[in-house]
Amino acid sequence: MLVSQLFDCADFSREIKDKEIKNITDNSQGCCEGSVFICHKSGEKYVKEALSKGAVLVVAEKRVCENCYVTDDVAGEYARLSAEFFGNRHKQMKLIAVTGTNGKTTTANMIYTILTLSGKKCGLMGTVKSNICGEETDSLLSTPDPFEMHRMFSKLYDWGAEYCIVEASSQGISEGRLSGLEFYLSVLTNISQDHLDYHGTMENYIESKKSIFALSQKSIINADDEKSQEFIAATKGKVITYSLSKNEADYIAKSIKSKEDGSDYAVIANYAIHRIKLNVPGDFNIMNSLAAVAAGVECDVSLEFCAYALKNFSGVKGRMEIVDISAEYKVIIDYAHTPDAIKKVLLCLGSFPHNRIITVFGCGGERDKDKRSQMGDVTLQLSDIVIVTSDNPRGEEPMKIIDDILSGMKKSKKSIYIHENRRKAIEYALKIAEKNDIILLAGKGHETYQQVGEDKIPMDERQIVREFLSK
Protein backbone atom coordinates (compact mmCIF):
# COMPACT_ATOMS: atom_id res chain seq x y z
CA MET A 1 0.00 0.00 0.00
CA LEU A 2 1.30 3.45 -0.95
CA VAL A 3 1.56 6.47 1.33
CA SER A 4 -0.90 8.29 -0.93
CA GLN A 5 -3.49 5.56 -0.36
CA LEU A 6 -3.38 5.95 3.40
CA PHE A 7 -2.83 9.70 3.81
CA ASP A 8 -4.62 12.68 2.34
CA CYS A 9 -1.93 15.30 2.63
CA ALA A 10 -0.99 17.72 -0.11
CA ASP A 11 2.21 18.68 1.70
CA PHE A 12 3.88 15.39 0.81
CA SER A 13 6.17 15.30 -2.19
CA ARG A 14 5.39 12.90 -5.02
CA GLU A 15 8.43 10.88 -3.96
CA ILE A 16 6.95 10.35 -0.48
CA LYS A 17 3.42 9.71 -1.75
CA ASP A 18 4.64 6.90 -4.00
CA LYS A 19 6.59 5.08 -1.29
CA GLU A 20 5.25 1.72 -0.24
CA ILE A 21 4.15 1.16 3.36
CA LYS A 22 5.05 -2.25 4.73
CA ASN A 23 4.08 -1.86 8.37
CA ILE A 24 2.88 0.64 11.00
CA THR A 25 4.35 0.65 14.51
CA ASP A 26 4.79 2.80 17.61
CA ASN A 27 7.97 0.92 18.54
CA SER A 28 11.08 2.37 16.87
CA GLN A 29 12.84 -0.98 17.26
CA GLY A 30 10.14 -2.57 15.11
CA CYS A 31 10.72 -0.17 12.22
CA CYS A 32 12.09 -1.41 8.92
CA GLU A 33 12.26 -0.15 5.32
CA GLY A 34 8.78 1.14 4.50
CA SER A 35 7.51 1.66 8.06
CA VAL A 36 5.23 4.37 9.35
CA PHE A 37 6.37 5.33 12.86
CA ILE A 38 3.62 6.38 15.27
CA CYS A 39 5.21 8.92 17.58
CA HIS A 40 3.32 9.33 20.86
CA LYS A 41 4.46 12.14 23.17
CA SER A 42 6.90 9.81 24.91
CA GLY A 43 8.34 8.67 21.59
CA GLU A 44 9.88 11.84 20.20
CA LYS A 45 13.36 10.79 21.28
CA TYR A 46 13.06 7.67 19.12
CA VAL A 47 12.29 9.43 15.83
CA LYS A 48 15.92 9.38 14.65
CA GLU A 49 16.18 5.64 15.32
CA ALA A 50 12.93 4.99 13.43
CA LEU A 51 14.13 6.98 10.40
CA SER A 52 17.53 5.31 10.45
CA LYS A 53 15.82 1.92 10.23
CA GLY A 54 13.85 2.91 7.14
CA ALA A 55 10.67 4.64 8.36
CA VAL A 56 9.22 6.61 5.45
CA LEU A 57 6.86 8.72 7.53
CA VAL A 58 6.27 9.78 11.13
CA VAL A 59 2.85 10.49 12.65
CA ALA A 60 3.02 12.96 15.56
CA GLU A 61 1.20 15.81 17.30
CA LYS A 62 3.80 18.30 16.03
CA ARG A 63 6.32 18.38 13.25
CA VAL A 64 9.25 16.33 14.55
CA CYS A 65 10.98 15.68 11.21
CA GLU A 66 10.69 16.56 7.51
CA ASN A 67 8.39 13.71 6.52
CA CYS A 68 5.81 14.10 9.27
CA TYR A 69 2.01 13.80 9.33
CA VAL A 70 0.67 16.05 12.10
CA THR A 71 -2.56 15.16 13.90
CA ASP A 72 -4.30 16.06 17.17
CA ASP A 73 -5.13 12.38 17.80
CA VAL A 74 -2.07 10.21 17.29
CA ALA A 75 -3.61 7.15 18.98
CA GLY A 76 -6.80 7.42 16.92
CA GLU A 77 -4.77 7.84 13.74
CA TYR A 78 -2.75 4.72 14.60
CA ALA A 79 -5.99 2.73 14.82
CA ARG A 80 -7.41 4.27 11.62
CA LEU A 81 -4.26 3.63 9.61
CA SER A 82 -4.00 0.04 10.86
CA ALA A 83 -7.62 -0.63 9.91
CA GLU A 84 -7.14 0.88 6.45
CA PHE A 85 -3.88 -0.98 5.90
CA PHE A 86 -5.66 -4.30 6.40
CA GLY A 87 -8.79 -3.34 4.49
CA ASN A 88 -11.13 -2.65 7.44
CA ARG A 89 -11.83 -6.36 7.79
CA HIS A 90 -13.26 -5.82 11.28
CA LYS A 91 -16.39 -4.39 9.66
CA GLN A 92 -17.12 -7.75 8.07
CA MET A 93 -17.60 -9.61 11.39
CA LYS A 94 -19.45 -9.20 14.67
CA LEU A 95 -17.18 -7.94 17.44
CA ILE A 96 -17.79 -8.78 21.09
CA ALA A 97 -16.05 -6.70 23.78
CA VAL A 98 -15.66 -8.00 27.34
CA THR A 99 -14.66 -5.42 29.94
CA GLY A 100 -14.68 -5.01 33.73
CA THR A 101 -12.23 -5.17 36.62
CA ASN A 102 -12.29 -8.92 37.22
CA GLY A 103 -13.56 -11.89 35.26
CA LYS A 104 -12.83 -10.63 31.73
CA THR A 105 -10.61 -13.54 30.76
CA THR A 106 -12.88 -16.28 32.10
CA THR A 107 -16.01 -14.69 30.62
CA ALA A 108 -14.37 -14.18 27.22
CA ASN A 109 -13.20 -17.79 27.16
CA MET A 110 -16.65 -19.04 28.17
CA ILE A 111 -18.23 -17.08 25.30
CA TYR A 112 -15.58 -18.43 22.94
CA THR A 113 -16.35 -21.99 24.07
CA ILE A 114 -20.10 -21.52 23.51
CA LEU A 115 -19.70 -20.01 20.04
CA THR A 116 -17.06 -22.42 18.75
CA LEU A 117 -18.80 -25.55 20.04
CA SER A 118 -22.00 -24.33 18.39
CA GLY A 119 -20.16 -24.38 15.06
CA LYS A 120 -19.57 -20.66 14.65
CA LYS A 121 -16.15 -19.54 13.44
CA CYS A 122 -14.81 -17.22 16.10
CA GLY A 123 -11.59 -15.47 17.12
CA LEU A 124 -10.40 -14.55 20.61
CA MET A 125 -8.00 -11.81 21.69
CA GLY A 126 -7.41 -12.23 25.42
CA THR A 127 -5.10 -11.63 28.36
CA VAL A 128 -3.78 -15.17 28.61
CA LYS A 129 -4.21 -16.54 25.09
CA SER A 130 -5.38 -15.43 21.68
CA ASN A 131 -7.01 -17.90 19.35
CA ILE A 132 -6.92 -16.89 15.69
CA CYS A 133 -8.14 -19.29 13.02
CA GLY A 134 -7.94 -22.17 15.49
CA GLU A 135 -4.31 -21.42 16.38
CA GLU A 136 -3.61 -20.58 20.03
CA THR A 137 -0.78 -18.20 20.97
CA ASP A 138 0.34 -16.48 24.17
CA SER A 139 -0.81 -12.86 24.49
CA LEU A 140 1.46 -9.90 25.21
CA LEU A 141 -1.36 -7.47 26.09
CA SER A 142 -4.98 -7.93 27.18
CA THR A 143 -5.98 -5.65 24.32
CA PRO A 144 -3.53 -5.86 21.37
CA ASP A 145 -2.01 -2.77 19.78
CA PRO A 146 -3.97 -1.56 16.70
CA PHE A 147 -1.66 -2.94 13.99
CA GLU A 148 -1.52 -6.41 15.55
CA MET A 149 -5.27 -6.36 16.23
CA HIS A 150 -6.19 -5.48 12.66
CA ARG A 151 -3.69 -8.01 11.33
CA MET A 152 -5.59 -10.64 13.32
CA PHE A 153 -8.93 -9.30 12.07
CA SER A 154 -7.63 -9.72 8.52
CA LYS A 155 -6.58 -13.33 9.15
CA LEU A 156 -9.97 -14.07 10.71
CA TYR A 157 -11.77 -12.55 7.73
CA ASP A 158 -9.79 -14.70 5.29
CA TRP A 159 -10.63 -17.74 7.45
CA GLY A 160 -14.32 -16.92 7.30
CA ALA A 161 -14.87 -15.91 10.93
CA GLU A 162 -18.25 -14.54 11.90
CA TYR A 163 -17.30 -13.33 15.40
CA CYS A 164 -14.29 -12.06 17.31
CA ILE A 165 -14.16 -11.61 21.09
CA VAL A 166 -11.85 -8.88 22.42
CA GLU A 167 -10.90 -8.35 26.05
CA ALA A 168 -11.15 -4.58 26.45
CA SER A 169 -8.82 -3.36 29.20
CA SER A 170 -9.25 0.15 30.56
CA GLN A 171 -5.71 1.06 29.51
CA GLY A 172 -6.26 -0.33 26.02
CA ILE A 173 -9.44 1.73 25.71
CA SER A 174 -7.78 4.92 27.00
CA GLU A 175 -4.82 4.49 24.66
CA GLY A 176 -7.15 4.33 21.66
CA ARG A 177 -6.38 0.75 20.67
CA LEU A 178 -10.10 0.15 20.04
CA SER A 179 -10.64 3.48 18.29
CA GLY A 180 -12.87 3.16 15.23
CA LEU A 181 -14.39 -0.18 16.27
CA GLU A 182 -18.11 -0.70 16.71
CA PHE A 183 -19.30 -3.69 18.70
CA TYR A 184 -22.17 -6.03 18.07
CA LEU A 185 -22.13 -6.87 21.76
CA SER A 186 -20.34 -5.57 24.88
CA VAL A 187 -20.22 -7.26 28.29
CA LEU A 188 -19.60 -5.69 31.71
CA THR A 189 -18.40 -8.17 34.36
CA ASN A 190 -17.97 -5.86 37.40
CA ILE A 191 -16.28 -2.69 38.61
CA SER A 192 -13.93 -2.28 41.57
CA GLN A 193 -10.70 -0.40 42.26
CA ASP A 194 -7.80 -1.08 39.91
CA HIS A 195 -5.29 0.73 37.68
CA LEU A 196 -5.54 4.04 39.56
CA ASP A 197 -1.81 4.45 38.97
CA TYR A 198 -2.76 4.93 35.31
CA HIS A 199 -6.20 6.57 35.47
CA GLY A 200 -5.70 8.70 38.59
CA THR A 201 -9.29 8.43 39.84
CA MET A 202 -12.09 5.87 39.89
CA GLU A 203 -14.18 8.29 37.85
CA ASN A 204 -11.61 8.27 35.02
CA TYR A 205 -11.33 4.47 35.24
CA ILE A 206 -15.10 4.02 35.00
CA GLU A 207 -15.43 6.52 32.14
CA SER A 208 -12.89 4.57 30.09
CA LYS A 209 -14.99 1.41 30.51
CA LYS A 210 -18.30 3.16 29.82
CA SER A 211 -17.10 4.46 26.45
CA ILE A 212 -17.30 0.93 25.00
CA PHE A 213 -21.04 0.65 25.62
CA ALA A 214 -21.84 3.79 23.66
CA LEU A 215 -20.38 1.98 20.62
CA SER A 216 -22.36 -1.25 21.01
CA GLN A 217 -25.55 -2.50 19.41
CA LYS A 218 -26.24 -4.63 22.49
CA SER A 219 -24.91 -4.39 26.06
CA ILE A 220 -24.86 -7.14 28.68
CA ILE A 221 -24.65 -5.60 32.17
CA ASN A 222 -24.07 -7.14 35.61
CA ALA A 223 -27.16 -5.86 37.46
CA ASP A 224 -25.62 -6.78 40.83
CA ASP A 225 -22.78 -4.30 40.40
CA GLU A 226 -23.34 -1.00 42.19
CA LYS A 227 -22.25 0.90 39.07
CA SER A 228 -24.66 -0.95 36.77
CA GLN A 229 -27.07 1.97 36.36
CA GLU A 230 -24.21 4.25 35.26
CA PHE A 231 -23.34 1.78 32.53
CA ILE A 232 -26.94 1.26 31.49
CA ALA A 233 -27.28 5.04 31.13
CA ALA A 234 -24.20 5.07 28.90
CA THR A 235 -25.57 2.48 26.46
CA LYS A 236 -27.03 3.36 23.08
CA GLY A 237 -28.52 0.00 22.07
CA LYS A 238 -30.38 -2.93 23.59
CA VAL A 239 -29.60 -3.66 27.28
CA ILE A 240 -29.55 -7.20 28.70
CA THR A 241 -28.98 -7.70 32.43
CA TYR A 242 -27.91 -10.67 34.55
CA SER A 243 -27.96 -11.24 38.29
CA LEU A 244 -27.73 -13.64 41.21
CA SER A 245 -30.28 -11.71 43.27
CA LYS A 246 -32.53 -9.45 41.18
CA ASN A 247 -35.61 -11.15 39.78
CA GLU A 248 -36.17 -8.34 37.27
CA ALA A 249 -32.90 -9.17 35.49
CA ASP A 250 -33.07 -10.87 32.08
CA TYR A 251 -30.84 -13.76 33.19
CA ILE A 252 -31.12 -14.97 36.77
CA ALA A 253 -29.32 -17.78 38.62
CA LYS A 254 -31.44 -19.76 41.07
CA SER A 255 -31.13 -22.96 43.15
CA ILE A 256 -27.34 -22.63 43.34
CA LYS A 257 -25.35 -25.63 44.55
CA SER A 258 -21.66 -24.90 45.07
CA LYS A 259 -18.92 -27.49 45.38
CA GLU A 260 -15.13 -27.48 45.41
CA ASP A 261 -14.97 -28.63 41.81
CA GLY A 262 -17.75 -26.50 40.37
CA SER A 263 -21.31 -25.26 40.62
CA ASP A 264 -24.78 -26.32 39.59
CA TYR A 265 -27.60 -23.79 39.16
CA ALA A 266 -30.75 -23.03 37.23
CA VAL A 267 -30.71 -20.14 34.78
CA ILE A 268 -34.02 -18.42 34.11
CA ALA A 269 -34.20 -16.38 30.91
CA ASN A 270 -36.81 -15.48 28.29
CA TYR A 271 -39.52 -17.51 30.07
CA ALA A 272 -37.30 -20.59 29.90
CA ILE A 273 -35.27 -22.42 32.53
CA HIS A 274 -32.27 -24.70 32.21
CA ARG A 275 -29.72 -26.17 34.60
CA ILE A 276 -26.11 -25.17 34.17
CA LYS A 277 -23.23 -27.28 35.43
CA LEU A 278 -19.82 -25.64 35.74
CA ASN A 279 -16.46 -27.29 36.30
CA VAL A 280 -15.09 -24.11 37.90
CA PRO A 281 -16.12 -23.08 41.44
CA GLY A 282 -17.28 -19.79 42.96
CA ASP A 283 -20.25 -17.45 42.72
CA PHE A 284 -18.09 -15.11 40.63
CA ASN A 285 -17.80 -17.84 38.01
CA ILE A 286 -21.56 -18.30 38.08
CA MET A 287 -21.78 -14.57 37.27
CA ASN A 288 -19.22 -14.99 34.49
CA SER A 289 -21.20 -17.88 33.06
CA LEU A 290 -24.48 -15.93 33.17
CA ALA A 291 -22.85 -13.20 31.08
CA ALA A 292 -21.53 -15.84 28.67
CA VAL A 293 -24.96 -17.48 28.35
CA ALA A 294 -26.56 -14.11 27.63
CA ALA A 295 -23.92 -13.44 24.96
CA GLY A 296 -24.46 -16.89 23.45
CA VAL A 297 -28.22 -16.42 23.19
CA GLU A 298 -27.77 -12.96 21.62
CA CYS A 299 -25.55 -14.70 19.05
CA ASP A 300 -28.35 -17.16 18.20
CA VAL A 301 -27.21 -20.08 20.35
CA SER A 302 -29.98 -21.82 22.28
CA LEU A 303 -30.06 -21.76 26.07
CA GLU A 304 -29.88 -25.54 26.06
CA PHE A 305 -26.73 -25.57 23.92
CA CYS A 306 -25.10 -22.86 26.08
CA ALA A 307 -25.56 -25.19 29.04
CA TYR A 308 -23.99 -28.06 27.10
CA ALA A 309 -20.99 -25.93 26.08
CA LEU A 310 -20.35 -24.65 29.61
CA LYS A 311 -20.38 -28.20 30.93
CA ASN A 312 -17.37 -28.72 28.64
CA PHE A 313 -15.56 -25.56 29.79
CA SER A 314 -12.51 -26.60 31.83
CA GLY A 315 -11.37 -23.19 33.03
CA VAL A 316 -8.48 -20.85 32.26
CA LYS A 317 -4.87 -21.16 33.32
CA GLY A 318 -4.23 -19.17 36.50
CA ARG A 319 -7.91 -18.64 37.31
CA MET A 320 -8.90 -20.80 40.33
CA GLU A 321 -6.44 -23.34 38.94
CA ILE A 322 -5.96 -26.42 41.13
CA VAL A 323 -2.37 -27.61 40.79
CA ASP A 324 -2.24 -31.32 39.99
CA ILE A 325 -0.17 -32.77 42.85
CA SER A 326 -0.18 -35.77 45.18
CA ALA A 327 -0.57 -34.20 48.62
CA GLU A 328 -2.97 -34.13 51.55
CA TYR A 329 -3.65 -30.44 50.91
CA LYS A 330 -4.67 -28.38 47.89
CA VAL A 331 -2.68 -25.70 46.07
CA ILE A 332 -4.67 -23.17 44.06
CA ILE A 333 -3.23 -20.52 41.75
CA ASP A 334 -5.29 -17.44 40.96
CA TYR A 335 -4.59 -14.13 39.25
CA ALA A 336 -6.43 -12.17 41.99
CA HIS A 337 -4.55 -8.89 42.27
CA THR A 338 -7.25 -6.47 43.46
CA PRO A 339 -8.97 -6.25 46.86
CA ASP A 340 -12.30 -7.33 45.36
CA ALA A 341 -10.80 -10.27 43.45
CA ILE A 342 -8.85 -11.72 46.38
CA LYS A 343 -11.89 -11.27 48.65
CA LYS A 344 -14.10 -13.25 46.27
CA VAL A 345 -11.55 -16.03 45.87
CA LEU A 346 -10.99 -16.36 49.63
CA LEU A 347 -14.73 -16.33 50.37
CA CYS A 348 -15.15 -19.09 47.81
CA LEU A 349 -12.35 -21.20 49.32
CA GLY A 350 -13.64 -20.56 52.82
CA SER A 351 -17.04 -22.01 51.92
CA PHE A 352 -15.52 -25.43 51.21
CA PRO A 353 -14.46 -28.02 53.83
CA HIS A 354 -10.90 -27.25 54.91
CA ASN A 355 -8.52 -27.11 57.84
CA ARG A 356 -6.72 -23.81 57.26
CA ILE A 357 -6.35 -21.33 54.41
CA ILE A 358 -2.74 -20.27 53.81
CA THR A 359 -2.47 -17.30 51.44
CA VAL A 360 0.72 -16.28 49.68
CA PHE A 361 0.47 -12.90 47.95
CA GLY A 362 2.13 -9.60 47.15
CA CYS A 363 1.36 -6.48 45.12
CA GLY A 364 2.87 -5.23 41.88
CA GLY A 365 5.43 -2.47 41.87
CA GLU A 366 4.77 0.83 40.07
CA ARG A 367 1.04 0.15 40.17
CA ASP A 368 -1.93 1.39 42.21
CA LYS A 369 -0.42 1.81 45.69
CA ASP A 370 -3.72 2.56 47.45
CA LYS A 371 -4.94 -1.01 47.04
CA ARG A 372 -1.94 -2.54 48.85
CA SER A 373 -3.18 -1.93 52.39
CA GLN A 374 -6.72 -2.92 51.33
CA MET A 375 -5.45 -6.24 50.00
CA GLY A 376 -3.53 -6.80 53.22
CA ASP A 377 -6.65 -6.12 55.27
CA VAL A 378 -9.03 -8.41 53.38
CA THR A 379 -6.47 -11.21 53.04
CA LEU A 380 -5.79 -11.24 56.76
CA GLN A 381 -9.52 -11.30 57.54
CA LEU A 382 -10.24 -14.29 55.32
CA SER A 383 -7.07 -16.38 55.77
CA ASP A 384 -5.73 -18.36 58.71
CA ILE A 385 -2.10 -17.80 57.77
CA VAL A 386 -0.78 -15.04 55.50
CA ILE A 387 2.63 -15.04 53.85
CA VAL A 388 3.38 -11.62 52.40
CA THR A 389 5.88 -11.65 49.55
CA SER A 390 6.77 -10.05 46.22
CA ASP A 391 4.64 -10.02 43.07
CA ASN A 392 6.23 -8.15 40.15
CA PRO A 393 8.26 -5.48 42.00
CA ARG A 394 9.41 -3.86 38.75
CA GLY A 395 11.41 -0.73 39.69
CA GLU A 396 10.28 -0.55 43.33
CA GLU A 397 12.01 -1.96 46.37
CA PRO A 398 10.16 -5.19 47.29
CA MET A 399 10.27 -4.48 51.04
CA LYS A 400 8.71 -1.03 50.51
CA ILE A 401 5.77 -2.70 48.75
CA ILE A 402 5.51 -5.28 51.54
CA ASP A 403 5.49 -2.51 54.16
CA ASP A 404 2.58 -0.86 52.32
CA ILE A 405 0.69 -4.16 52.46
CA LEU A 406 1.45 -4.65 56.16
CA SER A 407 0.07 -1.17 56.97
CA GLY A 408 -3.40 -2.55 56.28
CA MET A 409 -2.98 -5.65 58.40
CA LYS A 410 -4.28 -4.69 61.84
CA LYS A 411 -3.03 -6.40 64.97
CA SER A 412 -4.21 -9.96 64.92
CA LYS A 413 -3.65 -13.28 66.60
CA LYS A 414 -3.41 -14.82 63.15
CA SER A 415 0.01 -15.75 61.83
CA ILE A 416 1.67 -13.33 59.42
CA TYR A 417 4.98 -14.22 57.79
CA ILE A 418 7.19 -12.17 55.49
CA HIS A 419 9.35 -13.67 52.76
CA GLU A 420 10.60 -11.13 50.23
CA ASN A 421 11.65 -13.95 47.88
CA ARG A 422 8.48 -15.34 46.30
CA ARG A 423 9.94 -18.79 45.67
CA LYS A 424 10.91 -19.10 49.33
CA ALA A 425 7.47 -17.84 50.35
CA ILE A 426 5.80 -20.59 48.33
CA GLU A 427 8.17 -23.21 49.67
CA TYR A 428 7.47 -22.06 53.24
CA ALA A 429 3.71 -22.40 52.66
CA LEU A 430 4.25 -25.95 51.40
CA LYS A 431 6.50 -26.73 54.35
CA ILE A 432 3.94 -25.72 57.00
CA ALA A 433 0.87 -27.11 55.19
CA GLU A 434 -1.15 -29.75 56.99
CA LYS A 435 -3.82 -32.23 55.95
CA ASN A 436 -6.87 -30.57 54.35
CA ASP A 437 -5.23 -27.13 54.20
CA ILE A 438 -5.77 -24.94 51.16
CA ILE A 439 -2.79 -22.93 49.90
CA LEU A 440 -3.71 -19.96 47.72
CA LEU A 441 -0.95 -18.51 45.55
CA ALA A 442 -2.49 -15.19 44.53
CA GLY A 443 -1.48 -12.49 42.07
CA LYS A 444 0.58 -14.17 39.37
CA GLY A 445 -2.00 -16.48 37.84
CA HIS A 446 -1.04 -17.41 34.29
CA GLU A 447 2.27 -15.54 34.40
CA THR A 448 5.39 -17.71 34.30
CA TYR A 449 7.86 -14.95 35.13
CA GLN A 450 8.59 -12.32 37.73
CA GLN A 451 9.46 -8.81 36.60
CA VAL A 452 12.30 -7.33 38.65
CA GLY A 453 13.49 -4.01 37.29
CA GLU A 454 13.59 -4.39 33.51
CA ASP A 455 14.21 -8.13 33.71
CA LYS A 456 11.62 -10.90 33.41
CA ILE A 457 12.92 -13.78 35.48
CA PRO A 458 11.42 -17.22 34.73
CA MET A 459 9.10 -18.27 37.56
CA ASP A 460 6.35 -20.83 37.09
CA GLU A 461 4.57 -21.41 40.40
CA ARG A 462 3.33 -24.83 39.29
CA GLN A 463 6.92 -25.89 38.70
CA ILE A 464 8.04 -24.49 42.07
CA VAL A 465 5.33 -26.52 43.85
CA ARG A 466 6.15 -29.74 42.03
CA GLU A 467 9.91 -29.34 42.51
CA PHE A 468 9.45 -28.84 46.25
CA LEU A 469 7.17 -31.86 46.59
CA SER A 470 9.50 -34.04 44.53
CA LYS A 471 12.18 -33.53 47.19
Side-chain angles (χ1 to χ4, degrees):
M1 182 172 282
L2 302 181
V3 169
S4 58
Q5 293 174 298
L6 271 185
F7 293 89
D8 181 18
C9 186
D11 294 340
F12 294 158
S13 67
R14 173 52 57 189
E15 179 186 359
I16 294 297
K17 288 181 180 180
D18 289 342
K19 285 194 173 182
E20 185 177 358
I21 295 174
K22 294 183 179 178
N23 83 321
I24 305 166
T25 180
D26 61 356
N27 184 343
S28 60
Q29 294 183 350
C31 284
C32 60
E33 194 66 37
S35 294
V36 171
F37 176 58
I38 305 297
C39 178
H40 303 291
K41 285 182 179 179
S42 60
E44 292 180 11
K45 58 186 176 183
Y46 300 110
V47 170
K48 283 187 178 180
E49 180 184 11
L51 294 172
S52 69
K53 290 189 172 184
V56 296
L57 199 65
V58 174
V59 175
E61 287 187 355
K62 61 182 180 181
R63 188 163 295 281
V64 293
C65 62
E66 183 179 354
N67 298 325
C68 185
Y69 181 81
V70 179
T71 175
D72 292 335
D73 183 11
V74 173
E77 192 67 16
Y78 186 16
R80 183 194 73 79
L81 292 171
S82 298
E84 290 285 347
F85 184 87
F86 287 106
N88 289 297
R89 299 308 192 193
H90 64 285
K91 295 182 179 180
Q92 309 303 317
M93 63 189 80
K94 294 176 179 177
L95 305 184
I96 299 172
V98 181
T99 194
T101 306
N102 303 308
K104 292 189 297 296
T105 298
T106 300
T107 303
N109 277 270
M110 285 179 169
I111 298 171
Y112 179 79
T113 298
I114 289 171
L115 295 184
T116 51
L117 287 182
S118 71
K120 299 180 187 296
K121 283 193 170 183
C122 181
L124 171 67
M125 302 179 191
T127 300
V128 180
K129 300 281 185 181
S130 289
N131 200 308
I132 305 300
C133 309
E135 296 180 7
E136 192 174 84
T137 57
D138 292 334
S139 299
L140 297 176
L141 295 170
S142 295
T143 307
D145 89 313
F147 192 77
E148 176 63 14
M149 182 184 296
H150 285 280
R151 184 188 68 79
M152 290 192 281
F153 284 146
S154 180
K155 287 186 68 175
L156 286 168
Y157 170 82
D158 292 341
W159 183 56
E162 184 181 358
Y163 295 92
C164 184
I165 304 159
V166 180
E167 281 189 51
S169 68
S170 60
Q171 189 166 337
I173 296 167
S174 297
E175 291 180 353
R177 296 179 214 162
L178 300 174
S179 181
L181 301 185
E182 292 186 3
F183 296 95
Y184 173 69
L185 188 65
S186 289
V187 177
L188 175 71
T189 57
N190 49 65
I191 292 292
S192 63
Q193 181 177 329
D194 200 14
H195 302 303
L196 297 194
D197 55 296
Y198 179 86
H199 296 283
T201 66
M202 276 297 292
E203 289 75 16
N204 291 340
Y205 174 60
I206 291 169
E207 285 301 316
S208 71
K209 299 280 191 186
K210 283 163 61 175
S211 65
I212 288 294
F213 296 88
L215 301 170
S216 302
Q217 293 181 38
K218 303 177 183 182
S219 298
I220 297 175
I221 307 289
N222 176 357
D224 290 345
D225 193 274
E226 64 179 24
K227 299 294 183 181
S228 60
Q229 290 304 314
E230 279 191 46
F231 281 84
I232 290 173
T235 61
K236 294 294 174 69
K238 177 182 177 182
V239 175
I240 303 103
T241 56
Y242 62 100
S243 170
L244 293 186
S245 60
K246 297 182 179 179
N247 291 331
E248 64 272 22
D250 298 300
Y251 290 79
I252 314 160
K254 294 287 187 180
S255 304
I256 297 171
K257 298 177 182 177
S258 297
K259 299 180 293 182
E260 289 182 73
D261 57 352
S263 302
D264 185 314
Y265 69 94
V267 58
I268 302 172
N270 302 321
Y271 306 104
I273 184 168
H274 209 285
R275 288 212 72 81
I276 303 281
K277 292 186 178 180
L278 295 177
N279 295 316
V280 287
D283 285 355
F284 51 90
N285 276 320
I286 294 175
M287 290 297 285
N288 294 336
S289 68
L290 279 176
V293 168
V297 172
E298 291 301 320
C299 295
D300 301 320
V301 180
S302 70
L303 192 64
E304 182 179 8
F305 193 88
C306 289
Y308 163 78
L310 288 175
K311 190 176 180 180
N312 289 276
F313 177 74
S314 57
V316 179
K317 182 179 180 181
R319 270 53 172 187
M320 288 296 282
E321 177 187 351
I322 301 174
V323 182
D324 185 15
I325 54 174
S326 296
E328 293 184 316
Y329 50 81
K330 286 186 173 66
V331 178
I332 293 174
I333 295 175
D334 193 86
Y335 190 50
H337 60 283
T338 68
D340 183 61
I342 202 163
K343 179 180 180 179
K344 287 177 177 175
V345 169
L346 286 169
L347 283 172
C348 174
L349 297 179
S351 69
F352 302 134
H354 66 276
N355 177 28
R356 303 175 302 175
I357 294 178
I358 303 171
T359 303
V360 179
F361 87 106
C363 291
E366 300 176 356
R367 296 295 185 267
D368 184 0
K369 295 181 180 181
D370 290 340
K371 69 181 182 183
R372 294 174 183 174
S373 61
Q374 296 176 42
M375 289 184 68
D377 181 23
V378 71
T379 303
L380 183 62
Q381 288 183 44
L382 299 175
S383 307
D384 296 289
I385 298 173
V386 180
I387 303 172
V388 185
T389 185
S390 297
D391 191 288
N392 290 321
R394 299 182 178 88
E396 280 195 74
E397 287 295 326
M399 279 308 303
K400 174 62 174 67
I401 300 171
I402 290 172
D403 286 341
D404 288 343
I405 295 169
L406 294 174
S407 70
M409 303 175 83
K410 306 296 188 289
K411 290 183 179 179
S412 171
K413 293 181 180 179
K414 293 182 180 179
S415 299
I416 303 171
Y417 299 92
I418 300 166
H419 282 277
E420 179 182 331
N421 183 294
R422 192 173 180 97
R423 175 183 286 271
K424 292 187 181 299
I426 294 170
E427 290 176 346
Y428 183 73
L430 297 167
K431 182 179 179 180
I432 64 173
E434 299 174 356
K435 185 177 180 179
N436 296 326
D437 281 350
I438 298 175
I439 300 174
L440 172 64
L441 308 180
K444 298 291 291 168
H446 60 281
E447 296 176 353
T448 56
Y449 62 87
Q450 184 177 43
Q451 188 167 345
V452 181
E454 297 296 324
D455 299 324
K456 285 190 174 181
I457 301 167
M459 178 181 286
D460 188 330
E461 296 186 335
R462 301 148 198 81
Q463 185 178 341
I464 291 172
V465 170
R466 291 180 182 126
E467 285 177 356
F468 179 88
L469 293 178
S470 70
K471 298 175 184 177

